[in-house]
Amino acid sequence: MSTATEALAYNVEKTRKDFPILKREINGYPLVYFDNAATSQTPQQVIDVIVDYYSNYNANIHRGVHALSQEATDKYEQARKKIQEHFNAKKTHEIIFTSGTTHGINLVANGFASLLHKGDEIIVSALEHHSNIVPWQILAEKTGAVLKVIPMNQEGELIYPAFEELLSEKTKLVFVNHVSNALGTVNPIKKIIDKAHQYDAAVLVDGAQAAPHIKADVQALDVDFYVVSAHKMCGPTGVGMLYGKEEWLTKLPPYQGGGEMIATVTFEKTTYADLPHKFEAGTPNICGGIAFGAALDYINTIGIEKIAAYEEELLHYATKKLLEIDGMEIYGVSKEKTAVISFNINGMHPYDIGTILDKLGIAVRTGHHCAQPIMDFYKIPGTVRASFSFYNTKEEIDVFIKAVVKAKTMLT
Ligand SMILES: *Cc1c(COP(=O)(O)O)cnc(C)c1O
């Protein structure tokens, strides 16, 4: 099927009925939610799972002999299995539950502190979210490793040849996002992973922004670590996953000490539990983990390819309409991008535009989007960012375009 016919086969009105929040009005206008890159909305199917957990089998896991604990444990471990299957990890214990992308990255960065030496090199990209920059700066400071940056071009793409030049025998780790949250650029991660592996460097991919739109197959990518947050893919906040190759997770020391992550404890010596528990100290977000599994079920029922094709249609439609507005500047014009549009108009402050849009019921993000280095590159304080999801419509984009034109008139 061509992309166009596949998108036609998708029924957005049916999808919208699954999201109760889309019925809301804001300031007397129907909500137009275009802040999906910050967090996605939650379908009733996932809300039901959350209510069911607290109504019927709330209990601590892996410990109790009683029925509720067993039920909660089974559901939690089933969710881990769903996540494993979704990302095609080889083994279930390569999936570590985290509180989100930020937690996953910090877990890996902390682990590498004991593996790196002064003078080793680690490479980050210019397109990163702060949560994929700051933990590595802390790591470099702690270990004496040198942090290098893959530069970007005006289109908002990484300059791949410059990456090749940064690599050397000293390179131990490369971290790059799959999709930039500020610009929507899809990075050539397969090429980056393969190249880094020629130097025996490990690669961590921040998949937070990609996971709602692109199905990552961690085995096909041969990636060493892949991290996501459930709340960007129709799941709840406060839960995510870290995928790590078994050999790496075995090598890394635990991140936090506590219950659940130990095999034996004496004051002389503690031995750690096997994977994945070694990295899951304390009572986890049990309900969140189970709901994360339900969110994947929901997305897979529609089909991520269908979602991506439909969102691409929205992206092209909105881009074309926005560019008809005089003074419009769109940042990030890579051919490979997800449905994120970062823009400014004629030096107007993004915050002012965002405030007017909010008055009209439209939710967008304004500011630096936790990616200040990108804003510095373009020499701007920030942008207005509209990010679309598969429950948005062209009619909503029409409303949005009218509102942007109105904001421009008001601010001129
Ligand atoms: C949202 C996001 C993060 C941070 O995710 P949290 O859920 O806040 O931990 C990191 N990287 C990218 C690319 C993101 O979009």
Side-chain angles (χ1 to χ4, degrees), residues 346-364:
N346 273 347
M348 288 167 192
H349 203 286
Y351 180 81
D352 294 339
I353 297 174
T355 305
I356 294 172
L357 295 183
D358 177 58
K359 294 271 182 291
L360 299 167
I362 301 164
V364 293

Side-chain angles (χ1 to χ4, degrees), residues 168-354:
S168 77
E169 306 303 327
K170 290 186 196 158
T171 312
K172 295 293 178 266
L173 246 182
V174 176
F175 20 97
V176 60
N177 57 33
H178 195 164
V179 171
S180 153
N181 69 302
L183 304 179
T185 312
V186 180
N187 289 314
I189 57 164
K190 180 61 183 153
K191 243 165 89 176
I192 290 173
I193 292 163
D194 288 348
K195 195 74 200 172
H197 283 170
Q198 289 177 11
Y199 294 84
D200 287 329
V203 181
L204 177 141
V205 173
D206 169 353
Q209 206 57 239
H213 320 282
I214 300 168
K215 197 154 185 162
D217 178 328
V218 293
Q219 287 190 74
L221 287 170
D222 196 27
V223 68
D224 301 289
F225 302 99
Y226 197 89
V227 288
V228 305
S229 297
H231 72 93
K232 299 223 171 133
M233 46 193 319
C234 297
T237 54
V239 65
M241 74 113 195
L242 157 68
Y243 159 79
K245 275 186 191 162
E246 183 178 34
E247 51 181 294
W248 276 116
L249 293 178
T250 306
K251 228 181 277 179
L252 294 186
Y255 181 39
Q256 292 177 317
E260 200 66 42
M261 55 75 72
I262 49 84
T264 59
V265 175
T266 67
F267 281 107
E268 287 70 41
K269 178 154 181 63
T270 291
T271 55
Y272 304 126
D274 291 335
L275 293 173
H277 307 295
K278 172 178 151 190
F279 291 108
E280 295 182 349
T283 301
N285 183 349
I286 302 165
C287 177
I290 296 167
F292 185 7
L296 292 179
D297 286 344
Y298 181 79
I299 285 175
N300 287 325
T301 301
I302 296 177
I304 210 152
E305 292 80 13
K306 205 177 266 185
I307 286 174
Y310 177 71
E311 288 173 348
E312 198 175 323
E313 246 185 74
L314 294 182
L315 172 69
H316 289 313
Y317 185 76
T319 304
K320 186 168 162 288
K321 293 253 168 173
L322 277 174
L323 286 173
E324 287 166 8
I325 299 172
D326 234 22
M328 173 65 54
E329 173 113 40
I330 292 179
Y331 305 93
V333 291
S334 173
K335 270 204 195 73
E336 293 279 330
K337 69 179 272 191
T338 58
V340 170
I341 305 180
S342 245
F343 67 92
N344 279 324
I345 312 171
N346 273 347
M348 288 167 192
H349 203 286
Y351 180 81
D352 294 339
I353 297 174

Side-chain angles (χ1 to χ4, degrees), residues 60-138:
N60 212 330
I61 52 169
H62 297 141
R63 300 170 197 192
V65 291
H66 60 84
L68 290 188
S69 172
Q70 198 50 55
E71 237 175 89
T73 304
D74 289 349
K75 287 266 173 48
Y76 192 65
E77 291 307 322
Q78 278 164 21
R80 194 192 305 274
K81 185 93 193 137
K82 283 179 194 176
I83 297 167
Q84 178 205 348
E85 283 165 7
H86 183 86
F87 292 98
N88 195 31
K90 199 189 252 170
K91 296 175 175 154
T92 320
H93 62 240
E94 290 175 320
I95 302 298
I96 310 295
F97 276 113
T98 62
S99 69
T101 301
T102 305
H103 176 195
I105 293 170
N106 277 280
L107 189 159
V108 175
N110 183 77
F112 267 89
S114 63
L115 303 179
L116 292 184
H117 303 99
K118 198 169 159 46
D120 285 345
E121 294 182 356
I122 55 183
I123 299 179
V124 68
S125 101
L127 284 177
E128 299 309 305
H129 188 283
H130 293 164
S131 72
N132 205 18
I133 300 175
V134 183
W136 308 111
Q137 286 174 324
I138 295 172

